């Protein structure tokens, strides 16, 4: 399984779209791994998680063929994860040579937002389907299970457990501390790759996102609970500009913990 990190920032991007803080100014001057766009990941070029507003940039920057994507799993409706209007660009007249439908999966708020954006054009180009927590979708190549997040009390934000080619991945953002029902489900699994929210960096913990301490806590509970395969890897991502940490600061913190700091364009083979 090839996991391609297309974006690794929180909602504002890094540097922030309109932000003039010292931290964003430093990122602008450094460039490279300190430039973070809104979050998404692509698995084996056909399974995508989230459709952020920076998707065209991702396609251009990394030379992606997004016409190959067959399945799009959406975590929640926040604007950094779902720009539903982009789905229109897959309809006839906007996209040529795409014969298969893009199957879009999300909770009811996601379905509604996508319908509002593109109407009901038929399922041959974009097929929108509601999923609920603990439901498993078999895409034909992967088995994807939706798990409850702890992120926005006004919607059923989802995390995803993905099994493909004998490997397993847990896509764990956006979320604060994991709900116990998610822990219960995960406790019967062994994970090869775990991707976690680290929006708050070393700032105090807030409910809807994780910080460094919380990421380490989840890693420890997974390890102690036998949820990690031998050689399992853990990734921290979705960093806010407010944390005041550049990529080098984050790796100085996470390298000793054997946790990978995600950056835009990073590819991991699982
Ligand atoms: Zn987010
Ligand atoms: Zn800033
Ligand atoms: Zn969010």
């Amino acid at each position: 399984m090839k996991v391609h990190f297309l974006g690794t920032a929180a909602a504002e991007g890094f540097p922030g779209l309109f932000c003039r803080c010292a931290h964003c100014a430093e990122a602008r001057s450094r460039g490279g791994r300190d430039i973070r766009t809104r979050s998404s990941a692509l698995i084996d070029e056909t399974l995508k998680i989230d459709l952020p507003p920076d998707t065209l940039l991702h396609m251009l920057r990394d030379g992606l063929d997004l016409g190959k994507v067959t399945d799009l799993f959406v975590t929640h409706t926040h604007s950094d994860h779902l720009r539903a209007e982009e789905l229109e660009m897959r309809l006839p007249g906007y996209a040529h040579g795409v014969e298969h439908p893009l199957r879009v999966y999300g909770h009811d708020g996601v379905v509604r937002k996508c319908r509002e954006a593109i109407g009901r054009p038929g399922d041959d180009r974009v097929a929108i389907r509601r999923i609920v927590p603990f439901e498993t979708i078999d895409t034909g190549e992967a088995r994807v299970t939706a798990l409850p997040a702890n992120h926005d009390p006004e919607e059923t934000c989802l995390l995803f457990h993905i099994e493909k080619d004998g490997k397993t991945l847990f896509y764990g953002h956006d979320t604060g501390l994991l709900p116990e029902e998610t822990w219960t489900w995960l406790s019967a699994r062994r994970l090869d790759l775990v991707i976690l929210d680290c929006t708050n960096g070393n700032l105090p913990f807030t409910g809807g996102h994780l910080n460094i301490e919380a990421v380490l806590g989840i890693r420890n509970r997974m390890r102690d609970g036998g949820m990690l395969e031998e050689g399992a890897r853990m990734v921290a991502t979705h960093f806010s500009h407010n944390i005041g940490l550049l990529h080098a600061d984050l790796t100085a913190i996470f390298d000793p913990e054997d946790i990978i700091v995600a950056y835009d364009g990073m590819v991991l083979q699982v």
Side-chain angles (χ1 to χ4, degrees):
M1 186 158 46
K2 173 186 170 191
V3 184
H4 190 157
F5 292 79
L6 304 179
T8 59
E12 69 279 13
F14 185 55
L17 189 56
F18 296 106
C19 189
R20 305 176 75 200
C21 78
H23 186 221
C24 286
E26 182 65 21
R28 280 191 189 93
S29 74
R30 288 195 187 202
R33 292 182 183 182
D34 284 308
I35 303 297
R36 299 181 183 276
T37 61
R38 271 66 70 88
S39 294
S40 176
L42 184 62
I43 294 162
D44 289 337
E45 299 175 18
T46 55
L47 193 160
K48 192 175 189 303
I49 301 172
D50 288 339
L51 187 68
D54 299 324
T55 301
L56 180 67
L57 168 63
H58 296 160
M59 183 270 274
L60 296 169
R61 185 196 64 205
D62 293 347
L64 307 175
D65 179 0
L66 292 179
K68 286 164 75 171
V69 176
T70 53
D71 297 275
L72 171 66
F73 288 85
V74 180
T75 54
H76 61 306
T77 67
H78 291 173
S79 63
D80 54 324
H81 295 262
L82 176 62
R83 182 170 162 77
E85 291 81 358
E86 299 290 20
L87 292 173
E88 190 179 5
M89 300 308 127
R90 208 178 184 286
L91 299 183
Y94 294 107
H96 304 282
V98 284
E99 306 309 330
H100 65 278
L102 173 67
R103 296 175 295 214
V104 181
Y105 304 92
H107 64 61
D108 41 10
V110 168
V111 168
R112 196 173 308 118
K113 205 169 172 182
C114 293
R115 286 281 176 231
E116 283 169 7
I118 66 165
R120 290 185 175 274
D123 285 352
D124 55 330
R125 288 297 184 97
V126 179
I128 301 166
R129 180 168 174 328
R130 175 175 174 251
I131 44 169
V132 297
F134 304 110
E135 184 177 0
T136 299
I137 300 289
D138 188 343
T139 69
E141 293 185 345
R143 286 171 55 80
V144 182
T145 302
L147 297 170
N150 169 18
H151 182 49
D152 179 343
E154 299 204 338
E155 61 176 281
T156 313
C157 301
L158 299 174
L159 310 173
F160 295 112
H161 177 274
I162 300 169
E163 300 172 68
K164 189 169 189 287
D165 304 332
K167 300 290 183 180
T168 58
L169 181 165
F170 175 60
Y171 195 83
H173 75 88
D174 292 0
T175 188
L177 294 175
L178 301 178
E180 279 307 312
E181 53 186 346
T182 296
W183 275 118
T184 301
W185 194 92
L186 286 173
S187 65
R189 270 80 191 174
R190 287 175 69 82
L191 303 165
D192 292 292
L193 180 65
V194 178
I195 301 168
L196 291 177
D197 190 311
C198 194
T199 308
N200 291 333
N202 53 10
L203 296 176
F205 178 71
T206 59
H209 284 293
L210 301 171
N211 66 2
I212 292 166
E213 187 186 347
V215 166
L216 297 178
I218 289 175
R219 190 273 311 272
N220 294 346
R221 182 165 171 181
M222 285 182 168
R223 183 188 58 201
D224 298 345
M227 290 169 241
L228 299 178
E229 271 298 348
E230 191 79 28
R233 284 179 290 174
M234 188 145 312
V235 175
T237 189
H238 196 277
F239 300 102
S240 164
H241 77 133
N242 286 320
I243 64 177
L245 299 172
L246 295 161
H247 186 78
D249 302 320
L250 288 163
T251 54
I253 293 166
F254 278 120
D255 280 358
E257 300 289 346
D258 211 16
I259 292 174
I260 298 165
V261 177
Y263 57 87
D264 279 30
M266 181 173 87
V267 174
L268 293 181
Q269 294 286 348
V270 180

